[in-house]
Amino acid sequence: MQFCRLLFFALLLKVANSDATDYINNMTSRFTHEIENWVKLRQEETEEFKQLIHTLALPTALQRDDWHSFEGQENKFICIICKSVIKTFLSFRRKGMSEEDIRSRVIKLCTLLNLQTEEVCDGAVTINLPIILYIVDSRPDLDSSTICGVVLESKSCPLNNNEFDWTVDIDDSPPILIDSEKTNETLNIVQITDIHYDPKYEPYGNSFCDEPTCCRIGQNKTNTSGKVAGYWGDYNYCDSPWHTVVDALDYIKAQHENISYVYFTGDIIDHGVWETSREGNVESLNKSYYQIYETFGNIPVYPILGNHEPHPLNQFAPNTITDDELSTQWLYEMMADLWINFKWLPESTRTTILQGGFYTVSPKKGFRIIALNNNVCYSYNWWLWYQPQDPYGQLQWLADTLSQAEKDQEFVHILAHIPPGSSDCQTTWRREYIKIVNRYAHIIRAQFNGHTHNDELQLYFSTNDNSEVNNVAWNGGSLTTYQNLNSNYKLYIVDNNNYAVIDYENWMYNLTLANENANQRPLWYKSYSFKEEYGISDLSYDSLRVWLSRLTNDESLLDLYYRNFFKLAEPSLRNECSALCMEPYACRVIANLENQEAKCNNN
Ligand SMILES: *[C@@H]1O[C@H](CO)[C@@H](O)[C@H](O)[C@H]1NC(C)=O
Ligand SMILES: *[C@@H]1O[C@H](CO)[C@@H](O)[C@H](O)[C@H]1NC(C)=O
Ligand SMILES: *[C@@H]1O[C@H](CO)[C@@H](O)[C@H](O)[C@H]1NC(C)=O
Ligand SMILES: *[C@@H]1O[C@H](CO)[C@@H](O)[C@H](O)[C@H]1NC(C)=O
Ligand SMILES: *[C@@H]1O[C@H](CO)[C@@H](O)[C@H](O)[C@H]1NC(C)=O
Ligand SMILES: *[C@@H]1O[C@H](CO)[C@@H](O)[C@H](O)[C@H]1NC(C)=O
Ligand SMILES: *[C@@H]1O[C@H](CO)[C@@H](O)[C@H](O)[C@H]1NC(C)=O
């Protein structure tokens, strides 16, 4: 939950900025002690407590800062603080503290520390607590180092729990190569991702509110300071109005006569994460999928789930959880029904969709799509604390499905919402995924991801030869402009015989301009084709490897990539970014090299 992370961030800012270790240790132990007393005694705050809270309270301006990438020493302190807070609450729960008492204490603490407004704290804690307490109660051995280790996993906050040390059985026989002649025939594959449709979007509402998501009905009561939500969307923390979603889909269909397939890589639900409900999600999912279906008609759409689809977000329960309040079954049933009724998918996919939201399908001979629900690996899926081992057996299924595809001489595209090479994905899952990709790299012709909202890509390096690229994962960007981005989608030109991506086009529009002309449809345009933009002759793995090394050495090329990363959105590009500041964007391109990551200061 954001709550925990924000708490750590608050402490980080206030505490870890000072490099006096003694001071930090002193603060940590005082805090632990005071929190314990405060939770236990349920009395008014002591002076010491008030003083600590005052010191630690998060400045409002920082409530939205990205607290994802703590590094080294700082992360270590955050980790210590995490463990002490979680340990306190765990021990009270184990001694019988009621859900209601924990709920009210955590909400109060969240509010006192100014992590969010009281309403947001209340909502976020209330919808997540039943799952967390179910897990805590049914796993008496679960401890704070496991919890913090999953959420903050890194070298300085290691996860030492051998339940997480599982592996997948991967066929170790040598790869069977498939003949892969090129043809002149191509397929046009459109990737649409991260719509984040907000049913509460209010044009000319408040785009600068106190909550995590703005531009929503009900927020204009407060002073808008002149920050008024645009008609077509807004660069602030706002999602997509319905008419913007409809416009994008209509534009894509009308512009590209020859779409072979649509890949939809997840996230329909808005960022109003503290006030989602199952009913609300069902409505948005149904409405959006119907719109996609009605727009594209007979064109096959291959969809996957995003981490925002469940309620509360990120939570994908194991199949053994049958309590309807906690289970994710409603989502899997709904998706299986929609996707199969629309004739996008055959009946044969139902079993695995119901098992965990993943499936495979062969749209034509020699070609297979594997669609994953890799949101299970997200470090905010609390269910990882409950059952860490290959959730739903999905990775084993992936390895087996690829093994069969190899025998059947099929080329494969893999769709997954979260870029599996990123550190958002729990380490064991990521490690096993990379092993599988490495073994079947010769038939996996491309991977397609979303989630980050940025226009980017990741290159996978061969485990056997670190200097060789053996796979590429393209990221589709996002339809939502959340946050400080333009809306975009991608059109991939794919070889019809070997299914390699020959080139792609990025399509977008300038939101400032669109809002200036609110009564006209946004002016979509092709912002670039990859080959032309970066001056490369083809998208072979060799060319992409050379491109990456140019990116790390050629400042103007990196600048171009950086601008595209933010989809040319003015607010993102307003700040000067030096070569040093742009370096991490090149580093993100590398999916799986330990030494390169170290060189890039990623850890
Ligand atoms: C922390 O520092 C305060 C004042 O600097 C001191 O009074 C207190 O004893 C210290 N506490 C611990 C646990 O070290
Ligand atoms: C493919 O296109 C090139 C140039 O457009 C042409 O020279 C070649 O003959 C074509 N090959 C086939 C198999 O159609
Ligand atoms: C919200 O407030 C702003 C500034 O006061 C105003 O311009 C705008 O029309 C209001 N929007 C709505 C939907 O009332
Ligand atoms: C709204 O807020 C801005 C900045 O916070 C302030 O300058 C302005 O006076 C406020 N307007 C009203 C009507 O309160
Ligand atoms: C559409 O694609 C098909 C098959 O790839 C091709 O034969 C046809 O010429 C294309 N039509 C247009 C208008 O591009
Ligand atoms: C889903 O949307 C369709 C088309 O708008 C509508 O007919 C149907 O009743 C909706 N189903 C649910 C469960 O909302
Ligand atoms: C977007 O439109 C605005 C307003 O017309 C303009 O000032 C800006 O330069 C445009 N941005 C880009 C990247 O074209």
Side-chain angles (χ1 to χ4, degrees):
M1 197 53 253
Q2 292 212 345
F3 165 70
C4 300
R5 287 199 147 184
L6 282 165
L7 172 60
F8 310 141
F9 186 69
L11 292 160
L12 166 82
L13 279 179
K14 296 288 188 154
V15 179
N17 270 348
S18 146
D19 35 59
T21 311
D22 289 346
Y23 174 73
I24 295 160
N25 288 341
N26 182 304
M27 285 292 270
T28 311
S29 64
R30 279 166 66 199
F31 185 65
T32 308
H33 179 252
E34 287 300 318
I35 286 280
E36 253 180 58
N37 275 338
W38 180 71
V39 175
K40 180 168 64 190
L41 303 172
R42 285 182 239 168
Q43 63 192 18
E44 275 316 293
E45 291 80 37
T46 62
E47 273 312 308
E48 165 85 348
F49 182 81
K50 281 187 194 154
Q51 194 199 327
L52 274 171
I53 289 287
H54 180 73
T55 315
L56 296 173
L58 186 68
T60 304
L62 294 175
Q63 277 179 347
R64 289 199 172 88
D65 274 36
D66 184 2
W67 19 256
H68 191 186
S69 47
F70 309 123
E71 289 167 5
Q73 195 67 343
E74 291 171 342
N75 190 48
K76 200 162 169 176
F77 291 121
I78 307 291
C79 186
I80 294 167
I81 293 159
C82 171
K83 287 180 193 167
S84 77
V85 172
I86 300 284
K87 196 169 171 179
T88 305
F89 280 101
L90 275 181
S91 105
F92 283 112
R93 177 61 176 180
R94 304 234 189 276
K95 287 185 204 135
M97 186 179 261
S98 71
E99 174 165 346
E100 186 44 39
D101 281 353
I102 292 181
R103 196 181 77 88
S104 65
R105 290 273 109 172
V106 177
I107 292 169
K108 184 102 190 266
L109 191 61
C110 171
T111 314
L112 283 174
L113 286 170
N114 196 33
L115 301 187
Q116 289 293 335
T117 64
E118 189 174 352
E119 195 198 338
V120 174
C121 286
D122 188 316
V125 173
T126 304
I127 63 181
N128 280 278
L129 202 58
I131 292 179
I132 293 178
L133 290 183
Y134 176 86
I135 296 172
V136 165
D137 294 350
S138 46
R139 296 290 315 252
D141 52 336
L142 180 65
D143 61 15
S144 59
S145 20
T146 299
I147 293 179
C148 299
V150 173
V151 177
L152 299 169
E153 188 171 10
S154 69
K155 283 195 192 86
S156 39
C157 197
L159 175 60
N160 293 318
N161 178 332
N162 52 23
E163 273 191 80
F164 283 79
D165 204 11
W166 49 272
T167 55
V168 165
D169 277 337
I170 305 169
D171 172 22
D172 58 5
S173 53
I176 308 167
L177 299 179
I178 311 176
D179 170 41
S180 61
E181 272 174 39
K182 288 187 196 151
T183 58
N184 281 359
E185 275 174 42
T186 56
L187 296 172
N188 295 324
I189 299 179
V190 165
Q191 185 185 7
I192 302 171
T193 194
D194 293 78
I195 293 175
H196 292 287
Y197 152 53
D198 190 350
K200 293 178 86 175
Y201 192 96
E202 183 178 35
Y204 314 114
N206 183 358
S207 73
F208 208 71
C209 67
D210 294 333
E211 283 87 35
T213 305
C214 305
C215 304
R216 311 184 95 202
I217 291 165
Q219 291 174 327
N220 214 28
K221 292 190 290 269
T222 50
N223 179 2
T224 63
S225 316
K227 303 263 167 76
V228 174
Y231 178 76
W232 293 103
D234 202 280
Y235 286 125
N236 287 305
Y237 291 86
C238 301
D239 279 322
S240 309
W242 180 247
H243 53 263
T244 300
V245 175
V246 172
D247 171 79
L249 298 175
D250 285 349
Y251 181 82
I252 297 168
K253 177 66 170 66
Q255 177 65 27
H256 308 287
E257 290 180 336
N258 232 355
I259 302 172
S260 318
Y261 310 118
V262 173
Y263 290 166
F264 173 63
T265 43
D267 271 1
I268 282 174
I269 305 302
D270 61 73
H271 288 85
V273 299
W274 70 99
E275 56 178 3
T276 55
S277 67
R278 190 182 295 185
E279 299 68 39
N281 288 16
V282 165
E283 201 175 320
S284 290
L285 289 165
N286 185 62
K287 186 171 169 183
S288 304
Y289 272 120
Y290 263 93
Q291 193 67 30
I292 295 173
Y293 173 66
E294 279 159 12
T295 307
F296 291 104
N298 292 330
I299 299 168
V301 175
Y302 297 103
I304 55 174
L305 289 167
N307 61 302
H308 279 261
E309 265 65 294
H311 162 75
L313 87 158
N314 305 330
Q315 306 313 313
F316 293 87
N319 312 112
T320 48
I321 303 299
T322 50
D323 180 344
D324 183 56
E325 285 300 304
L326 306 172
S327 150
T328 318
Q329 211 51 42
W330 65 273
L331 181 60
Y332 298 144
E333 279 165 17
M334 179 180 177
M335 292 302 110
D337 286 345
L338 280 181
W339 298 346
I340 294 169
N341 288 349
F342 290 155
K343 307 249 185 293
W344 294 341
L345 304 182
E347 187 57 41
S348 59
T349 57
R350 193 181 296 272
T351 317
T352 52
I353 297 173
L354 294 182
Q355 188 184 328
F358 52 97
Y359 64 86
T360 182
V361 61
S362 171
K364 59 208 236 341
K365 191 165 162 29
F367 179 42
R368 176 163 299 279
I369 292 169
I370 300 180
L372 299 178
N373 171 15
N374 82 330
N375 305 298
V376 295
C377 78
Y378 201 23
S379 43
Y380 304 126
N381 176 18
W382 316 139
W383 291 106
L384 284 174
W385 314 337
Y386 180 85
Q387 200 298 95
Q389 300 193 16
D390 191 10
Y392 307 124
Q394 184 177 198
L395 279 183
Q396 188 60 58
W397 170 87
L398 172 65
D400 298 345
T401 305
L402 283 165
S403 168
Q404 189 59 45
E406 185 185 53
K407 292 192 185 90
D408 296 343
Q409 310 230 319
E410 292 170 335
F411 288 116
V412 173
H413 284 174
I414 296 180
L415 316 185
H417 180 67
I418 297 177
S422 92
S423 57
D424 285 348
C425 194
Q426 199 276 317
T427 311
T428 319
W429 203 99
R430 176 165 38 131
R431 180 192 68 200
E432 294 304 298
Y433 179 84
I434 289 168
K435 280 201 239 167
I436 295 170
V437 168
N438 194 62
R439 166 63 181 83
Y440 294 102
H442 62 297
I443 60 170
I444 303 169
R445 277 309 158 107
Q447 305 175 47
F448 299 87
N449 305 141
H451 187 62
T452 69
H453 302 186
N454 296 107
D455 172 10
E456 59 179 328
L457 67 144
Q458 280 198 314
L459 298 179
Y460 283 68
F461 286 78
S462 163
T463 318
N464 328 326
D465 175 2
N466 264 353
S467 64
E468 194 190 310
V469 170
N470 68 7
N471 229 264
V472 54
W474 306 102
N475 197 309
S478 63
L479 276 198
T480 186
T481 56
Y482 191 104
Q483 174 254 343
N484 285 342
L485 296 169
N486 281 317
S487 203
N488 82 303
Y489 68 90
K490 287 183 180 177
L491 174 70
Y492 300 86
I493 322 296
V494 173
D495 186 294
N496 191 29
N497 199 40
N498 68 19
Y499 303 96
V501 173
I502 299 169
D503 198 4
Y504 78 75
E505 297 172 0
N506 187 62
W507 289 75
M508 54 170 260
Y509 61 86
N510 177 342
L511 182 63
T512 312
L513 195 58
N515 283 334
E516 280 171 5
N517 302 283
N519 53 354
Q520 291 171 27
R521 288 180 65 182
L523 298 173
W524 285 92
Y525 68 103
K526 181 173 96 176
S527 70
Y528 69 83
S529 100
F530 192 87
K531 271 165 51 173
E532 278 169 25
E533 183 80 341
Y534 296 108
I536 69 177
S537 57
D538 57 55
L539 269 56
S540 66
Y541 295 145
D542 238 13
S543 299
L544 289 170
R545 181 183 50 80
V546 173
W547 170 81
L548 175 62
S549 71
R550 274 171 61 210
L551 201 60
T552 50
N553 292 308
D554 176 344
E555 199 179 322
S556 63
L557 191 75
L558 183 55
D559 187 61
L560 196 59
Y561 182 75
Y562 173 81
R563 294 165 60 81
N564 287 331
F565 183 89
F566 293 106
K567 300 183 278 188
L568 309 179
E570 310 269 284
S572 288
L573 301 183
R574 209 170 283 143
N575 303 327
E576 284 278 311
C577 189
S578 65
L580 193 64
C581 137
M582 288 190 293
E583 195 184 272
Y585 299 90
C587 293
R588 281 172 69 112
V589 173
I590 301 163
N592 65 327
L593 285 187
E594 288 285 329
N595 53 352
Q596 292 254 18
E597 271 173 27
K599 198 182 99 199
C600 284
N601 283 331
N602 265 353
N603 233 331

